[in-house]
Amino acid sequence: MPEVVLAVDGVRKSFGGVHAVDGVSVALERGEIRALIGPNGAGKSTFFDILTGQLRADAGAVVFRGERISGLPPHAIWRRGISRTFQITATFGTLTVLENVQVARLSATGRSLELLRSAGHQEVGRSAELLAQVGLLEQADRLAGVLAYGDLKKLELAIALANDPALLLLDEPTAGMAPAERGALMALTAAIARERDLTVLFTEHDMDVVFSTADRVMVLHQGRVIADGTPAAVRADRQVQAVYLGDDL
Ligand code: ADP
Ligand code: MG
């Protein structure tokens, strides 16, 4: 039996009268790469916020590697091995590329204050390794603020890997990138995930990227899962086609 890394049961979240996430249940297996797709406002980011502890669910349970994590604060969930990147890029522009990863490494090992005191030598080896994995080692000493957009996305990936996660959540990782770059970034992400036996859940609007990267695809519509299966099955699903009517599925 494959190991279930994440088990979500009946999670709900409303904002006023809007049922953003309306009873979502899902199980993610170790090593699988799952896409979470759905039109704007479907509830994808809200669902991610619940998984990472940024938002507290109104109902339901999230179990990660056998432990109930619903209600834990974000840093506690991050320490347990769930990492995420955001729809909006979040890096320190005035730190170097390497320092950005060092901060994340120190934070993951509970030593974030040390860097402020002795800015510099901690976690250099491990951080450089992460930069090498995402193809950014040559830019280690540049300020993050001057990176090209595509490289910034790679830096975010390195930062997200810094706590050695078991589950990586990527919210529109290729947003704002040129189509050709998108496929390359997701291929890189998938290769790293396969190597580490990492479970990945990602949202993405580019259907070419979704169908070429994901082992499974789940579709969210108005806070509910309306389809969940292989890329081929989801592509052929009539309800999914109706939701995406006019789009190139
Ligand atoms: P997606 O990421 O799929 O585009 P979201 O999770 O961002 O969707 O949003 C789902 C629904 O919840 C939308 O109707 C959105 O307007 C609403 N929503 C999300 N966050 C908030 C919030 N903080 N306050 C009020 N409404 C919100
Ligand atoms: Mg979103």
Side-chain angles (χ1 to χ4, degrees):
M1 278 279 283
E3 178 194 348
V4 172
V5 170
L6 184 82
V8 179
D9 184 26
V11 161
R12 292 175 194 281
K13 179 75 190 175
S14 297
F15 300 105
V18 177
H19 301 294
V21 173
D22 197 12
V24 169
S25 300
V26 59
L28 296 180
E29 288 172 1
R30 186 184 175 113
E32 84 165 286
I33 299 179
R34 174 98 56 119
L36 173 63
I37 66 172
N40 274 327
K44 305 182 295 295
S45 293
T46 303
F47 183 60
F48 274 23
D49 286 341
I50 291 168
L51 298 184
T52 57
Q54 257 96 16
L55 279 177
R56 190 182 265 269
D58 299 332
V62 181
V63 173
F64 177 62
R65 295 204 277 194
E67 179 193 10
R68 187 177 168 131
I69 58 163
S70 351
L72 291 179
H75 64 87
I77 293 176
W78 188 67
R79 291 260 173 80
R80 281 166 172 76
I82 297 183
S83 208
R84 87 176 288 182
T85 62
F86 290 87
Q87 205 168 330
I88 313 286
T89 303
T91 50
F92 298 110
T94 55
L95 296 184
T96 68
V97 168
L98 182 67
E99 285 165 348
N100 266 279
V101 183
Q102 285 176 273
V103 169
R105 282 290 305 162
L106 288 169
S107 190
T109 50
R111 295 175 296 149
S112 37
L113 287 176
E114 282 179 38
L115 185 75
L116 297 176
R117 278 194 230 106
S118 65
H121 308 295
Q122 324 259 1
E123 295 285 337
V124 171
R126 188 74 187 95
S127 300
E129 245 173 67
L130 284 164
L131 287 178
Q133 280 197 329
V134 301
L136 273 187
L137 192 53
E138 283 174 11
Q139 310 210 52
D141 297 326
R142 300 184 73 197
L143 291 182
V146 305
L147 289 184
Y149 189 70
D151 287 338
L152 210 48
K153 291 292 182 185
K154 290 181 187 168
L155 175 56
E156 283 203 317
L157 178 59
I159 290 171
L161 292 169
N163 63 332
D164 291 323
L167 173 63
L168 188 57
L169 304 172
L170 308 170
D171 197 357
E172 299 194 23
T174 73
M177 295 179 88
E181 272 190 319
R182 290 183 206 149
L185 181 69
M186 283 314 291
L188 172 69
T189 305
I192 291 172
R194 303 270 185 235
E195 190 188 307
R196 294 172 172 233
D197 210 9
L198 189 60
T199 306
V200 178
L201 181 65
F202 73 103
T203 69
E204 174 63 61
H205 286 296
D206 184 328
M207 290 303 143
D208 290 338
V209 171
V210 167
F211 290 112
S212 61
T213 310
D215 302 318
R216 277 178 82 90
V217 179
M218 58 191 271
V219 186
L220 207 58
H221 180 52
Q222 297 177 343
R224 296 189 183 171
V225 178
I226 60 164
D228 184 359
T230 63
V234 166
R235 205 195 284 256
D237 186 289
R238 283 183 181 270
Q239 212 182 339
V240 175
Q241 286 170 355
V243 165
Y244 278 95
L245 204 65
D247 290 1
D248 227 1
L249 200 65

